[in-house]
Amino acid sequence: MSAPNKSYDPVEVEALKPEEVERARDEAIAAFAAATGLDELKQAKVAHTGDRSALSLANREIGALPPQAKAAAGKLIGQARGAVNQALAKRQAELEAERDARVLVEEAVDVTLPFDRAPRGARHPLTTLAERIEDTFVAMGYEVAEGPEVEAEWLNFDALNLGPDHPARSMQDTFFVAAPDGSPDSGVVLRTQTSPVQIRTMLDREPPIYAICPGRVYRTDELDATHTPVFRQVEGIAVDEGITFADLKGTIEQLVSKLIGDELELRWRPSYFPFTEPSAEVDLQCFVCRGASVGNPDRPCRTCSSEGWIELGGCGVVNPRVLIASGVDPNRYSGFAFGLGLERILMNRHNVADMRDMVEGDVRFTLPFGMEI
Amino acid sequence: MRVPLSWLREYVDLPAGETGRDVAERLIRAGLEVETVEQLGGDLKGPLVVGQVLSIEELTGFKKPIRHCWVNVGDANGTGEPQEIVCGARNFAVGDKVVVVLPGAVLPGPFPIAARQTYGHTSAGMICSARELGMGDDHDGIIVLPPEFEPGTDAIELLQLVDEVLDIAVTPDRGYCLSMRGVAREAAAAYGLPLADPALLDVPPANSYGYLVKVADPVGCDRFVARTVTGIDPAAQSPIWLQRRLQKMHVRPISLTVDITNYVMLEVGQPLHAYDRNRVDGPLQVRRASEGEQLTTLDGVKRKLSADDLLICDNSGPIGLAGVMGGASTEILDAVTDPETGEVTGSTEVIIEAAHFDPVAVARSAKRHKLPSEASKRFERGVDPEASRAAAQRAVDLLVLIAGGTAEAGVTDIAAPRPMRTITIAADLPDRVAGTEYGRETVTRRLQEVGCAVSGSDVLEVTPPTWRLDLTDPNDLVEEVIRLEGYDNVPARMPTVPPGRGLTEAQRMHRRVGVALAAAGYVEVNNYPFLGDAAFDALGLAADDERRRTVKLVNPLNDEEPALRTTLLPGLLATLRRNVGRGNTDLAIFEAGLVFRPKPEPVVAPRPAVDRRPTAEELAALDAALPDQPRRIAVALAGERQPAGWWGAGAPSGWADAVEAARTVARAAGVELEVRQDQHAPWHPGRCAALYAAGTDRLVGHAGELHPRVVKALHLPERTSAMELDLDLLSADGARTVEGPAVSGFPVATQDVALIVDRDVPAARVELALREGAGELLEAIRLFDVFEGEQVGAGKKSLAYALRFRATDRTLTADEASTARAAAVASAEARTGAVLRGA
Ligand SMILES: [Zn+2]
């Protein structure tokens, strides 16, 4: 920078001539406009606003001017630099926007590409169906009770009013556990029903008892489309003061309503189970033909064998003899019990044609059921 | 039990338009399990008439003998002229009465009949066989009718060809419904109509000159009625109505006497036995067998008797297994016609036995000799002891009426005293059990309808009928009332359930574990628990492996698999292979379920009395007899755990996934796992992790890659991996309460450290040493690299850890973090022989 000059003629400073300042300003604006990319703009910025740019050099001359001339020159240069910076910022924004648009286009991907890197899993529908039934009853205040699958004959039969010579005992095709000497007299069987859990629950504690007992049970059937030697039951039991057959009906209706819906009719018919008296069998109206196949050979129904009804399960008022064997006072308490076959409910509720699919563990069968049903 | 509707109507005057389905619906709602309603002759259409064979011309020159006949069919053909028919059967003669189907008719099939040319003649109809008319499958020959029917008579009506038959599965409590009499009683009650009881007969009183019977075992036999009929015409045959009814019941007509005993059993439910009196030696005796005695039963089988068997004997020894099957030696003889003289010989004198045997004795004999018979089925379920006299009388009447016999005046009736069965029941008990109001009058009326004698007012004294042996308890009577009033008419209401505790912690944990594995890509399967030694051999278990000690079944489905599983792996691996075989190659499956481990000294379970609660000792003994049944969970993996895709390479499943599955389970159960190197069949000896509940020495399972030999033996995909955990052991410490951590807002200081250790030093030990050395400033530690190679030296490996330090109350200085890191390294050096890499 030149030293202040007391006898100074501003006209002699070439760089501060207005036409020179304007030219430098216009050259800068033109150079910014001409820049096609951010790099070119950066070069233009250095050339036209940097320390060696014409306007910067001119600005430096102002210090050497006489005081009376400084203001005018300062204003002249300031306006020019303002215009240049404005043009630069504008062009900078334009070019950045252009670049951003181009880059985002380049980075675009096909988001419809399949992504199955994480393997899918599922729970078995019989498990989740049991849980759904459990939850229905837990919501009513029931507890879930469990027991062993290898069970004492006394609990599986005798305590349930099925004495050694009871005809119903031979009806149930029981797997007998061998005694240490190999004989069948171990007094132990694979439970044929989940009813022994009811006995255990009653032996365990005082009424009121409201319990649901899900579990695997065993009968010596060969596996086919409608039978499996290992299957699942859910039994329920209520023992309290004043429990009646009407309570049983209401409870079963509630379950069916929650599980299957309200559209299908129920049929109650007397039946026989040694552990309940009175006993009943509950049939659900066939969900496929709704009874239209009955006596109508032109429209046979495979689901209900043209009977119009599907067996849902057995139930009844707990036989007082069972209460006595379980240590419950039949003069004070009464109860009801019911049992449902889960495989059949799954078949009906989800239109599964062949029970073998529930047994064989083919992942293609189970996967669609997901985590809950 | 089959029930022809036409027969049922004989005892109950059902409304005329009532169909088999209508009746079935009523009976179902009354508690009889009607399984089918069969339409007999549903598509049958006449004319089907009686014809008389006028002439037979034997045609020759064909492959089989053919007859060209002229048959008188009366006016049934519209002309009254004889009908020309060609017939292939030969069991009829000129003059015989036969069944003729005329053109325009339709036989069951449906099989329309038209006149046609055959064997050079016109055949205008057919002479029919029983099979063609749908009367039964056992007879191919044509039907020859008794001579009394006029030609032209409608044979559809005559042969009762159109009918409906209900088939009822009789539950064990309703033995009386194994008879027309019992079903008719139910139908009468269901329709509110009177019953014409076929057992209401005039029976002469017992006297001293009937056939001599000695009952040595009045417990086994509390009633024995014997009647004798002589002068039976051996040539007499069962009339059409009798044969037809038997056929509809699926009982094959055999001979008149046998048919009558069968018929009476079906009618009143009392099994009868007929002896040829001339073949019986001396008095009939009822006694138990002596060990070693033998009896040849009617089916020709020689049976060794045991001391429990209840027998009918004569002086020669056993002649019948009481209530089960008669003996061959005193059997009614088949009628035999002498070809020379035409004389018919056979049994002419019979003793009819109508006895009542102990249900348990009969059931055991039938079971022991594998001889379930129509008689034993009824005795087991309970036969009306008061029906014996009537049943015997009915058989005698029929033998006199149809067989031309003469009833002898002697009536044997031995009856052990029978206590009166009376049940005391509060009149409002049905109301209280049902939860509705019937009132005493309804209760009394319904009980009377089923045959009970009822007296009393607020408390009723009820004497059940002799045929209802199932009615023993007050609740049995309650059921009778409720079912006859209709189950559908019982109101529905909800009990007031006290607040519940919800699921137990264990139940919630079992659900969480399943959800966690499914979320991690595992598919749940359920396998049968049956297995055999082959499964253990395939797993390579040592001969003394504890898992080979199994609970065994007496009657397994498959003799190769007589035992219950002690591990979930055999079933799980079989399912894995099945899936691979079906083309599902990338697999991750799991199963949760019980395994069965015998107690060291198995004991026999007691059978406490049932008239009281078992004692604490009895309950303990019951549980002591059961095997341990812990709940396990297992996974198996094969193929790719992550598939290759457009994102890059896939990842094969392996030992680490199996261990991770165990951690997933443990995490869901709220338990930390500690992993230790192990060697345990069926796992790869170098790739097997023993899993411990952290902070304990409790082994809870194993995980890793399976032994290559196991993979080969079970035909599994290479590198199949598996894990099995005992959920009961895993969660044995119970749920822990988590304390909320104080989350520090001060910055983290991260320090990396690479250590060189011997190759066989477990990473878990190094990490533990670092943790303990680093002290409480250590927030987290993570192994981010494992390296083996020249740079670290032979038999060595490098483990690189990222350590994160943070204090809860200040920003750590670089010195503090470095000091903690140095302490961690020093601890690893001291405990694992680690050397700081690059040091
Ligand atoms: Zn249907």
Side-chain angles (χ1 to χ4, degrees):
Chain A
M1 191 185 286
S2 317
N5 186 351
K6 302 289 182 193
S7 57
Y8 192 78
D9 178 1
V11 182
E12 286 174 26
V13 180
E14 182 72 14
L16 287 172
K17 284 180 182 164
E19 59 272 24
E20 280 303 309
V21 171
E22 276 169 29
R23 192 175 55 78
R25 181 196 68 194
D26 292 347
E27 275 177 15
I29 291 172
F32 296 160
T36 57
L38 287 166
D39 287 345
E40 278 180 45
L41 185 64
K42 198 174 172 186
Q43 287 169 19
K45 180 187 173 189
V46 171
H48 294 282
T49 66
D51 287 349
R52 310 293 311 158
S53 65
L55 285 174
S56 293
L57 292 174
N59 193 45
R60 242 174 273 163
E61 299 300 336
I62 294 173
L65 291 183
Q68 67 273 29
K70 274 185 182 169
K75 190 180 174 193
L76 180 69
I77 295 294
Q79 280 175 346
R81 291 179 88 179
V84 166
N85 283 337
Q86 206 180 341
L88 174 64
K90 181 166 165 269
R91 188 58 184 154
Q92 178 85 24
E94 282 172 8
L95 288 174
E96 277 180 4
E98 263 177 43
R99 179 205 58 189
D100 287 355
R102 192 176 60 246
V103 166
L104 291 180
V105 166
E106 279 166 4
E107 284 182 1
V109 295
D110 176 3
V111 297
T112 70
L113 284 175
F115 194 75
D116 53 357
R117 188 150 63 173
R120 269 199 313 150
R123 302 171 73 212
H124 199 279
L126 288 172
T127 307
T128 46
L129 179 62
E131 288 179 4
R132 177 165 285 271
I133 295 173
E134 286 165 23
D135 289 347
T136 303
F137 280 96
V138 166
M140 294 183 209
Y142 283 59
E143 65 184 74
V144 178
E146 289 158 302
E149 291 175 15
V150 176
E151 184 59 284
E153 274 190 70
W154 187 84
L155 283 146
N156 192 70
F157 290 127
D158 303 54
L160 289 157
N161 194 29
L162 279 139
D165 289 303
H166 202 289
R169 200 149 161 168
S170 57
M171 262 172 27
Q172 303 198 344
D173 313 300
T174 310
F175 285 108
F176 290 92
V177 167
D181 63 1
S183 79
D185 307 321
S186 62
V188 176
V189 296
L190 299 193
R191 66 178 179 195
T192 58
Q193 48 199 359
T194 42
S195 313
V197 184
Q198 302 178 7
I199 306 292
R200 286 180 174 276
T201 308
M202 286 191 278
L203 287 170
D204 243 22
R205 52 189 193 68
E206 294 287 310
I209 290 168
Y210 292 86
I212 190 103
C213 321
R216 298 223 289 187
V217 300
Y218 300 83
R219 307 229 179 130
T220 58
D221 290 322
E222 294 286 343
L223 174 65
D224 64 26
T226 54
H227 296 87
T228 157
V230 184
F231 56 102
R232 296 215 196 189
Q233 280 188 338
V234 171
E235 294 209 0
I237 185 168
V239 180
D240 204 342
E241 290 178 357
I243 289 286
T244 66
F245 196 87
D247 294 310
L248 168 64
K249 281 189 75 173
T251 304
I252 295 282
E253 285 179 9
Q254 177 77 5
L255 172 69
V256 171
S257 158
K258 290 277 185 290
L259 202 62
I260 295 166
D262 292 320
E263 303 89 54
L264 297 173
E265 240 183 272
L266 288 180
R267 178 172 77 174
W268 291 76
R269 56 190 168 85
S271 187
Y272 170 72
F273 307 106
F275 31 93
T276 51
E277 189 74 39
S279 303
E281 197 91 51
V282 188
D283 300 335
L284 181 69
Q285 196 178 34
C286 174
F287 64 100
V288 174
C289 71
R290 301 201 173 205
S293 67
V294 179
N296 189 352
D298 301 333
R299 286 188 54 194
C301 177
R302 224 173 34 133
T303 308
C304 66
S305 314
S306 301
E307 298 287 320
W309 299 97
I310 293 162
E311 253 181 58
L312 200 64
C315 56
V317 171
V318 178
N319 193 319
R321 287 173 185 248
V322 174
L323 296 179
I324 291 168
S326 311
V328 173
D329 178 1
N331 295 315
R332 181 171 172 200
Y333 295 107
S334 57
F336 67 69
F338 59 87
L340 307 167
L342 284 190
E343 279 79 2
R344 190 174 295 151
I345 294 178
L346 188 69
M347 290 177 101
N348 292 335
R349 192 170 182 261
H350 296 270
N351 209 9
V352 179
D354 195 324
M355 212 175 264
R356 282 171 287 214
D357 289 335
M358 302 176 196
V359 168
E360 288 176 345
D362 193 315
V363 296
R364 293 167 302 169
F365 171 77
T366 302
L367 270 170
F369 289 99
M371 308 293 268
E372 266 195 5
I373 61 175
Chain B
M1 174 72 188
R2 290 170 62 82
V3 178
L5 201 57
S6 61
W7 193 354
L8 186 64
R9 285 177 182 279
E10 197 169 291
Y11 312 120
V12 189
D13 189 15
L14 298 170
E18 211 69 353
T19 66
R21 286 222 158 265
D22 297 335
V23 177
E25 185 60 28
R26 293 272 192 132
L27 292 179
I28 285 170
R29 290 194 187 258
L32 293 185
E33 249 179 67
V34 183
E35 294 193 313
T36 57
V37 179
E38 192 183 332
Q39 310 287 329
L40 296 185
D43 44 12
L44 179 66
K45 195 171 142 266
L48 186 74
V49 297
V50 176
Q52 182 166 30
V53 181
L54 299 175
S55 68
I56 298 174
E57 179 196 352
E58 304 281 354
L59 303 181
T60 51
F62 300 106
K63 268 187 230 157
K64 55 177 186 169
I66 297 295
R67 289 176 154 191
H68 174 236
C69 311
W70 290 94
V71 184
N72 174 12
V73 295
D75 289 331
N77 55 5
T79 65
E81 295 297 316
Q83 196 80 4
E84 181 183 18
I85 296 175
V86 175
C87 182
R90 302 181 53 75
N91 65 320
F92 61 99
V94 171
D96 277 353
K97 297 283 175 62
V98 294
V99 180
V100 178
V101 59
L102 296 175
V106 181
L107 291 185
F111 182 38
I113 303 298
R116 61 193 176 107
Q117 289 300 122
T118 181
Y119 299 105
H121 292 272
T122 300
S123 187
M126 263 169 60
I127 303 175
C128 300
S129 71
R131 190 196 296 271
E132 284 155 352
L133 296 178
M135 290 165 54
D137 280 343
D138 50 288
H139 216 290
D140 264 333
I142 67 134
I143 303 165
V144 177
L145 297 169
E148 64 264 28
F149 302 108
E150 282 303 312
T153 307
D154 179 20
I156 295 180
E157 177 63 27
L158 181 71
L159 297 175
Q160 290 278 314
L161 293 176
V162 179
D163 204 347
E164 295 185 87
V165 183
L166 280 55
D167 199 350
I168 302 174
V170 176
T171 49
D173 60 328
R174 297 195 183 276
Y176 68 101
C177 282
L178 290 170
S179 67
M180 290 302 300
R181 180 195 187 206
V183 176
R185 188 179 302 280
E186 286 294 324
Y191 280 90
L193 292 168
L195 170 76
D197 186 348
L200 276 182
L201 296 177
D202 280 337
V203 183
N207 52 46
S208 57
Y209 40 96
Y211 197 88
L212 190 55
V213 176
K214 294 175 180 170
V215 178
D217 186 341
V219 174
C221 173
D222 59 8
R223 192 77 188 250
F224 201 112
V225 173
R227 300 287 297 272
T228 309
V229 179
T230 56
I232 292 171
D233 174 6
Q237 289 183 353
S238 296
I240 289 172
W241 67 265
L242 177 53
Q243 294 203 26
R244 286 299 294 140
R245 284 195 170 171
L246 291 178
Q247 284 170 341
K248 287 174 189 177
M249 306 300 272
H250 287 176
V251 174
R252 201 153 63 94
I254 294 169
S255 68
L256 180 52
T257 303
V258 174
D259 289 354
I260 285 173
T261 57
N262 281 335
Y263 179 81
V264 173
M265 174 181 73
L266 295 169
E267 188 180 47
V268 298
Q270 165 71 54
L272 298 179
H273 188 68
Y275 304 87
D276 183 328
R277 186 168 82 172
N278 295 320
R279 306 177 73 191
V280 177
D281 178 7
L284 294 176
Q285 301 150 45
V286 184
R287 62 164 170 87
R288 300 277 169 173
S290 313
E291 208 64 59
E293 274 189 303
Q294 292 190 334
L295 167 68
T296 304
T297 40
L298 277 178
D299 53 5
V301 179
K302 193 177 227 178
R303 299 176 187 276
K304 275 206 180 93
L305 302 174
S306 87
D308 277 352
D309 287 326
L310 191 63
L311 299 179
I312 314 294
C313 305
D314 66 2
N315 289 339
S316 71
I319 58 169
L321 199 51
V324 180
M325 192 175 271
S329 67
T330 54
E331 184 185 0
I332 299 295
L333 296 168
D334 289 339
V336 177
T337 309
D338 188 312
E340 301 286 304
T341 62
E343 195 192 347
V344 181
T345 54
S347 297
T348 58
E349 301 187 352
V350 302
I351 306 163
I352 299 291
E353 164 204 302
H356 187 255
F357 301 111
D358 173 40
V360 172
V362 172
R364 287 186 180 166
S365 284
K367 203 168 161 187
R368 184 162 40 239
H369 296 288
K370 297 189 174 61
L371 201 55
S373 64
E374 290 296 315
S376 70
K377 193 165 89 184
R378 286 172 173 79
F379 279 121
E380 282 174 34
R381 285 167 172 75
V383 164
D384 180 1
E386 292 305 321
S388 325
R389 281 154 33 93
Q393 184 64 44
R394 181 81 168 120
V396 168
D397 289 348
L398 288 170
L399 283 169
V400 170
L401 186 73
I402 302 167
T406 304
E408 284 201 347
V411 176
T412 306
D413 184 355
I414 297 169
R418 172 177 299 277
M420 192 78 133
R421 287 186 303 136
T422 300
I423 305 166
T424 306
I425 169 179
D428 67 346
L429 185 63
D431 297 12
R432 280 187 279 131
V433 171
T436 187
E437 214 161 293
Y438 297 121
R440 194 175 68 219
E441 278 175 25
T442 303
V443 169
T444 304
R445 178 171 54 83
R446 288 303 191 183
L447 290 177
Q448 285 167 341
E449 270 177 22
V450 298
C452 294
V454 184
S455 65
S457 53
D458 285 351
V459 173
L460 304 178
E461 296 285 321
V462 182
T463 306
T466 51
W467 58 87
R468 290 300 301 270
L469 297 139
D470 59 311
L471 301 182
T472 57
D473 294 11
N475 270 43
D476 299 333
L477 302 178
V478 166
E479 179 177 271
E480 294 303 303
V481 174
I482 303 179
R483 77 177 175 95
L484 292 177
E485 284 293 302
Y487 278 12
D488 283 326
N489 297 325
V490 176
R493 80 168 187 229
M494 289 292 286
T496 311
V497 186
R501 65 171 187 209
L503 296 177
T504 63
E505 171 51 34
Q507 287 160 352
R508 285 202 306 273
M509 185 266 276
H510 295 157
R511 289 190 179 192
R512 283 200 305 275
V513 160
V515 169
L517 281 180
Y522 289 83
V523 178
E524 188 179 15
V525 300
N526 292 309
N527 296 298
Y528 291 171
F530 309 120
L531 44 66
D533 284 338
F536 299 131
D537 296 342
L539 292 184
L541 302 193
D544 60 350
D545 193 295
E546 192 59 16
R547 285 168 288 182
R548 284 186 182 268
R549 277 196 65 232
T550 54
V551 173
K552 295 202 176 48
L553 298 178
V554 175
N555 52 338
L557 278 184
N558 169 356
D559 288 336
E560 304 295 305
E561 297 185 329
L564 298 184
R565 66 189 179 190
T566 52
T567 153
L568 298 178
L569 292 180
L572 197 61
L573 295 173
T575 297
L576 188 86
R577 188 181 56 218
R578 188 178 311 122
N579 270 286
V580 171
R582 292 178 181 184
N584 311 325
T585 47
D586 299 330
L587 286 162
I589 57 176
F590 80 98
E591 177 173 15
L594 305 188
V595 300
F596 307 91
R597 312 294 294 257
K599 293 243 165 64
E601 305 271 328
V603 293
V604 168
R607 280 269 187 71
V610 291
D611 57 355
R612 55 164 173 82
R613 179 193 166 89
T615 63
E617 293 74 40
E618 285 167 337
L619 286 176
L622 283 171
D623 278 334
L626 301 182
D628 291 332
Q629 301 174 52
R631 177 172 288 268
R632 294 269 182 97
I633 194 158
V635 309
L637 304 107
E640 290 193 314
R641 179 73 171 131
Q642 286 185 359
W646 55 264
W647 54 81
S653 66
W655 64 268
D657 294 299
V659 176
E660 179 58 17
R663 285 207 175 88
T664 301
V665 169
R667 221 171 282 136
V671 178
E672 279 301 315
L673 273 191
E674 185 186 327
V675 177
R676 299 183 198 167
Q677 200 83 28
D678 197 5
Q679 295 193 354
H680 187 69
W683 281 275
H684 185 307
R687 300 181 171 193
C688 171
L691 309 167
Y692 290 80
T696 71
D697 260 333
R698 195 165 68 242
L699 179 67
V700 295
H702 287 88
E705 184 181 310
L706 292 181
H707 196 296
R709 275 208 306 271
V710 174
V711 168
K712 196 167 167 224
L714 291 173
H715 309 286
L716 298 170
E718 278 183 24
R719 307 275 175 206
T720 294
S721 301
M723 173 282 280
E724 183 170 24
L725 264 181
D726 188 312
L727 284 174
D728 293 348
L729 283 175
L730 183 69
S731 59
D733 294 332
R736 67 195 166 93
T737 308
V738 175
E739 284 194 29
V743 176
S744 167
F746 291 96
V748 68
T750 305
Q751 300 249 344
D752 288 352
V753 57
L755 299 172
I756 294 171
V757 292
D758 286 346
R759 190 178 178 275
D760 58 2
V761 173
R765 267 181 58 205
V766 179
E767 181 179 318
L768 186 66
L770 286 170
R771 266 183 196 286
E772 291 186 357
E776 47 180 37
L777 290 180
L778 184 71
E779 181 181 79
I781 181 168
R782 184 165 186 278
L783 175 71
F784 65 86
D785 192 32
V786 179
F787 178 77
E788 288 177 38
E790 276 178 32
Q791 296 93 319
V792 296
K796 303 276 184 188
K797 66 183 171 189
S798 160
L799 304 172
Y801 292 89
L803 309 175
R804 287 162 66 87
F805 296 101
R806 179 142 44 192
T808 54
D809 55 350
R810 65 188 188 281
T811 300
L812 290 181
T813 64
D815 269 359
E816 281 178 304
S818 295
T819 306
R821 173 183 183 265
V825 169
S827 163
E829 283 170 352
R831 297 197 196 184
T832 68
V835 175
L836 191 62
R837 194 171 174 194

